[in-house]
Amino acid sequence: MGRAYNFSSGPAVLPAEVLYEAQKFLVDFKGTGVSVMETPHRGKVYGAIREEAAALVKELAGLDDGWSVAFIPGGASMQFAMLPLNFLREGVGADYVCCGTWGGKAFKQAQIAGDANIAADTRKASPAYAPSPAEIRWNPDAAYVHITTNETISGCRMPEIPDPPSPLVADMSSDILSCPRDYSKFSLFYAGAQKNLGPAGAAVVAFRDSFAETCSAAIPEILSYRTYASGRPLYNTPPVWTVYIILLTLRWLKAQGLENVFARNRSKAAKLYAAVDSSGFWRGVARKDCRSLSNVAFRLPSEELEDLFVKQAEAAGMVGLKGHRSAGGIRASIYNAFPEAGVDRLVEFMKEFERRNG
Amino acid sequence: MGRAYNFSSGPAVLPAEVLYEAQKFLVDFKGTGVSVMETPHRGKVYGAIREEAAALVKELAGLDDGWSVAFIPGGASMQFAMLPLNFLREGVGADYVCCGTWGGKAFKQAQIAGDANIAADTRKASPAYAPSPAEIRWNPDAAYVHITTNETISGCRMPEIPDPPSPLVADMSSDILSCPRDYSKFSLFYAGAQKNLGPAGAAVVAFRDSFAETCSAAIPEILSYRTYASGRPLYNTPPVWTVYIILLTLRWLKAQGLENVFARNRSKAAKLYAAVDSSGFWRGVARKDCRSLSNVAFRLPSEELEDLFVKQAEAAGMVGLKGHRSAGGIRASIYNAFPEAGVDRLVEFMKEFERRNG
């Protein structure tokens, strides 16, 4: 086949323009005689890549000079570990809002490392939903409060970002820079790159320097946010290629125009949810007011039909539609780089499938 | 220019065959319709990549079934942090042999996390050398002892691997699978991939499962070696592309034949050291019995001449020869993938340079 329509939840589809550019320069990066994979991390080529990528994140998220942007190895799961190691200490815990699997995983890692409290928990709700600010019980002494803005597995997003009394920290892996958001409400936010920002291998982490300054000094340097503050020299060898592809993706995002990308994301999601709501054959997983713009999760009348749907869709050039192994069902991840034509094709396929099997 | 001769210390030169193959399939991996950068980490494509890469490490290092091989994000510096977090506890420390910058960095991170002792320290020696087993004072109760088999900055290697009373752990970032070695002496060894095994973004970590079982349960899962033991499902999204390039590099290594690569490495190093020893114009950094086969570090009569050397070499298509910023001088890193023709070219250039400036 040619390029498939890739609905995978992450690693996920990258803009075709990014892939073609990466391919063109893979062996010899713009006449330097070496690949980006072979270029020294303290040299000019990588220095320029890193600087531009960090500046673009700041520009696109509207962050001021009090913020640092770092590309930290390990994805969101490494952030689940770093957050409690940096900020929890004897007598000081953190609040976690858990509205799905990922919030629960973040909470579990904080429990291992220190004192973590559940401020709200809707993990067992069906249909899936995220708590409204009124349902959350904050601990006023928390070192930070952690939310997950979009739960990738259930396709459930927080429709309203709360205003807690403590520094607000968010896992935005599946919706960073994909919808309008006031990023200045946060003290730290992060995203595994492999959904909206590039390939797997790093988390994009933005934090207020004043917040990072409150972290513990008693942890190894590579795990400390201080190590990644603006103006610090690189501590370790970063994932050079990953950051390069993140840069190309951010350039693509800027060239598209954020507002255009947001509008396209709304349109893609609206088309898919309209198909899901069009008959009783389909059932959306998330409550309507919490429906994700990134991950559209739905069920069919039986698991057999779901398996058939995934198989036939794949044969028709649409891959990655199988729901997470813990949840089953169908999940269409339609991040920034996912083309609207692929959504149109899926909607068409859903109609055909219902006609044949409904 | 075409492909440069890249003497960088890491990220470093990759085999040209690896780069051309990666380029060919970058946009569409072998008819799957997606890039490896876009492929799900729990899918068949990545499953096969990871399995083959781990199996090749075991095969090439001669490891038996009691070992696990993992690709852990963050390079050697993450291992500096993970080791003490996993194995140190109240009343149980670790021994560190420090014969250069990297051993010292590993030691510092262990000091932050627990009780770390220096078993031998030759960091200030000039010429640089590594201690013989008789110079090392082991603490018999250490949870592990840590050595650095090759110090990249000074170009100094341990000519003899010691036999300590506690589990032996080694940073082999700059000489893994580059020379004959009995890997069964170790309980754990690791290497940032970006020198001999692939691009930056992961450490290749091999450990005895029985050793990993002694690690602490009180640390976040992504930092625990147990999480990466054979047979465990993937805990987090791995750096998929990085592991793919590691696989291509390991395949290349196997196809070349380890013995052939070792012989070529010896030949490359011998040629360069012969040039260094050919006149008083050059001065080797490491003591002769400890000279690295991976990193040939040497000085010229003045820093001005060193700067000129680096500049003129670069103009002649030889990049990455500047010594580490902390040490100055010249350093030629000649890992497995560095072609012997590049060493011949450098030796020729050294002769010309001495003629003009000696």
Side-chain angles (χ1 to χ4, degrees):
Chain A
M1 63 168 97
R3 290 272 297 159
Y5 286 127
N6 183 1
F7 290 91
S8 297
S9 62
V13 60
L14 291 164
E17 298 91 322
V18 166
L19 294 176
Y20 285 112
E21 178 159 356
Q23 183 176 47
K24 181 174 172 191
F25 294 113
L26 188 140
V27 175
D28 177 4
F29 182 67
K30 304 194 171 180
T32 56
V34 305
S35 173
V36 168
M37 286 188 274
E38 303 172 306
T39 199
H41 56 294
R42 296 185 202 279
K44 278 183 204 161
V45 168
Y46 182 69
I49 287 171
R50 176 195 178 213
E51 221 169 275
E52 186 185 344
L56 275 173
V57 171
K58 289 179 79 165
E59 180 187 336
L60 294 170
L63 306 176
D64 67 26
D65 285 347
W67 286 77
S68 292
V69 173
F71 305 97
I72 303 183
S77 296
M78 188 64 81
Q79 299 309 303
F80 297 169
M82 280 176 61
L83 281 166
L85 290 175
N86 272 268
F87 298 110
L88 300 193
R89 53 187 190 278
E90 192 65 38
V92 179
D95 277 356
Y96 279 73
V97 175
C98 300
C99 50
T101 303
W102 294 103
K105 283 183 186 241
F107 170 65
K108 183 180 172 198
Q109 300 312 306
Q111 275 186 305
I112 291 172
D115 178 20
N117 319 300
I118 295 259
D121 188 353
T122 60
R123 281 178 287 175
K124 291 189 175 157
S126 178
Y129 80 98
S132 67
E135 292 171 79
I136 305 174
R137 295 173 61 105
W138 304 114
N139 168 358
D141 302 322
Y144 61 86
V145 306
H146 184 278
I147 64 171
T148 310
T149 50
N150 183 85
E151 283 284 351
T152 320
I153 294 177
S154 56
C156 170
R157 70 169 175 146
M158 293 190 92
E160 195 179 338
I161 303 295
D163 287 293
S166 309
L168 182 59
V169 166
D171 176 0
M172 300 185 187
S173 292
S174 44
D175 71 356
I176 191 168
L177 295 176
S178 72
C179 54
R181 174 166 292 157
D182 178 4
Y183 290 93
S184 72
K185 289 181 78 161
F186 299 87
S187 290
L188 183 153
F189 59 89
Y190 61 93
Q194 69 272 13
K195 297 174 192 287
N196 264 313
L197 298 175
V204 176
V205 184
F207 55 84
R208 289 183 187 278
D209 293 327
S210 56
F211 180 57
E213 279 306 315
T214 67
C215 79
S216 165
I219 55 171
E221 288 167 286
I222 197 169
L223 299 173
S224 167
Y225 289 108
R226 268 185 235 223
T227 300
Y228 301 94
S230 298
R232 291 278 185 113
L234 282 176
Y235 171 72
N236 66 312
T237 312
V240 170
W241 176 264
T242 302
V243 178
Y244 165 61
I245 303 294
I246 291 172
L247 169 61
L248 297 185
T249 308
L250 290 165
R251 278 188 193 156
W252 172 86
L253 191 56
K254 185 178 172 182
Q256 297 279 309
L258 270 191
E259 285 308 321
N260 299 327
V261 172
F262 295 171
R264 202 160 61 210
N265 288 343
R266 276 193 301 273
S267 167
K268 290 185 298 191
K271 284 176 178 178
L272 269 176
Y273 287 119
V276 168
D277 292 337
S278 67
S279 92
F281 186 76
W282 318 96
R283 179 170 57 81
V285 171
R287 209 172 67 184
K288 286 190 179 178
D289 62 323
C290 297
R291 279 174 162 177
S292 168
L293 297 178
S294 306
N295 315 95
V296 178
F298 56 94
R299 307 298 308 242
L300 271 66
S302 72
E303 289 184 20
E304 290 68 32
L305 281 171
E306 288 168 349
D307 289 346
L308 188 70
F309 182 92
V310 169
K311 203 173 149 186
Q312 294 187 342
E314 193 162 324
M318 289 171 282
V319 303
L321 283 163
K322 197 174 164 59
H324 190 268
R325 64 200 190 290
S326 67
I330 307 295
R331 176 178 51 175
S333 295
I334 48 172
Y335 303 120
N336 289 345
F338 191 89
E340 188 151 9
V343 167
D344 294 338
R345 179 72 195 88
L346 179 58
V347 167
E348 191 189 326
F349 175 79
M350 287 170 73
K351 285 184 188 153
E352 289 163 24
F353 190 87
E354 186 182 355
R355 223 169 8 243
R356 283 197 309 273
N357 302 283
Chain B
M1 62 169 96
R3 291 269 300 160
Y5 286 126
N6 183 2
F7 290 92
S8 297
S9 62
V13 61
L14 290 165
E17 297 91 323
V18 166
L19 294 175
Y20 286 112
E21 178 160 356
Q23 182 175 46
K24 181 174 171 190
F25 294 113
L26 188 139
V27 175
D28 177 5
F29 181 67
K30 304 193 171 181
T32 56
V34 305
S35 173
V36 168
M37 286 187 274
E38 303 171 306
T39 200
H41 57 294
R42 296 185 202 277
K44 278 183 203 160
V45 168
Y46 182 69
I49 288 171
R50 176 196 180 214
E51 220 170 278
E52 186 184 344
L56 276 172
V57 171
K58 288 179 80 164
E59 179 186 336
L60 294 169
L63 306 177
D64 66 26
D65 285 347
W67 286 76
S68 293
V69 172
F71 306 98
I72 302 183
S77 295
M78 188 64 80
Q79 299 309 304
F80 297 170
M82 279 176 62
L83 281 166
L85 290 174
N86 273 268
F87 298 110
L88 301 192
R89 53 188 191 276
E90 193 64 37
V92 179
D95 277 356
Y96 279 73
V97 175
C98 300
C99 49
T101 303
W102 294 102
K105 284 184 185 240
F107 171 65
K108 184 181 170 197
Q109 300 312 307
Q111 275 187 304
I112 291 172
D115 178 21
N117 319 300
I118 295 258
D121 188 353
T122 60
R123 280 177 288 176
K124 292 188 174 156
S126 178
Y129 79 99
S132 66
E135 291 172 78
I136 305 175
R137 296 173 61 105
W138 306 113
N139 168 357
D141 303 321
Y144 61 85
V145 306
H146 184 277
I147 64 171
T148 310
T149 51
N150 184 84
E151 283 285 351
T152 320
I153 294 177
S154 57
C156 171
R157 69 167 174 146
M158 293 190 92
E160 193 178 339
I161 303 296
D163 286 293
S166 309
L168 183 59
V169 167
D171 176 1
M172 300 185 185
S173 292
S174 45
D175 71 356
I176 191 169
L177 295 177
S178 73
C179 55
R181 175 164 293 155
D182 178 4
Y183 290 93
S184 72
K185 290 182 78 162
F186 299 87
S187 290
L188 183 154
F189 58 89
Y190 62 93
Q194 69 273 12
K195 298 174 192 287
N196 264 312
L197 298 176
V204 176
V205 185
F207 54 84
R208 287 183 189 279
D209 293 327
S210 56
F211 181 56
E213 279 306 315
T214 69
C215 78
S216 166
I219 56 172
E221 288 168 286
I222 197 168
L223 299 173
S224 167
Y225 289 109
R226 268 185 234 223
T227 300
Y228 301 94
S230 298
R232 291 278 185 114
L234 283 176
Y235 171 71
N236 67 313
T237 312
V240 171
W241 176 263
T242 302
V243 178
Y244 165 62
I245 304 296
I246 290 172
L247 169 62
L248 297 185
T249 307
L250 290 165
R251 278 189 192 155
W252 172 87
L253 192 55
K254 186 179 171 181
Q256 297 278 309
L258 270 190
E259 284 308 322
N260 298 325
V261 171
F262 295 171
R264 202 159 62 209
N265 287 344
R266 277 193 300 273
S267 168
K268 290 185 297 190
K271 285 176 177 177
L272 268 176
Y273 287 119
V276 167
D277 292 338
S278 67
S279 93
F281 186 75
W282 318 96
R283 178 170 57 81
V285 171
R287 208 171 69 184
K288 287 190 178 178
D289 62 324
C290 299
R291 279 174 162 179
S292 169
L293 299 177
S294 307
N295 316 95
V296 178
F298 56 94
R299 307 299 307 242
L300 272 66
S302 72
E303 289 184 19
E304 291 68 33
L305 281 171
E306 288 168 348
D307 289 345
L308 188 68
F309 183 92
V310 169
K311 203 173 148 187
Q312 294 187 344
E314 192 161 326
M318 289 171 282
V319 303
L321 282 162
K322 196 172 166 60
H324 190 268
R325 66 200 189 289
S326 66
I330 308 295
R331 176 178 49 175
S333 295
I334 48 172
Y335 303 119
N336 289 344
F338 191 89
E340 189 150 8
V343 168
D344 295 337
R345 180 71 195 89
L346 178 60
V347 168
E348 192 189 325
F349 176 79
M350 286 171 71
K351 285 184 186 153
E352 290 163 23
F353 190 88
E354 185 180 354
R355 221 164 15 239
R356 284 198 308 273
N357 302 283

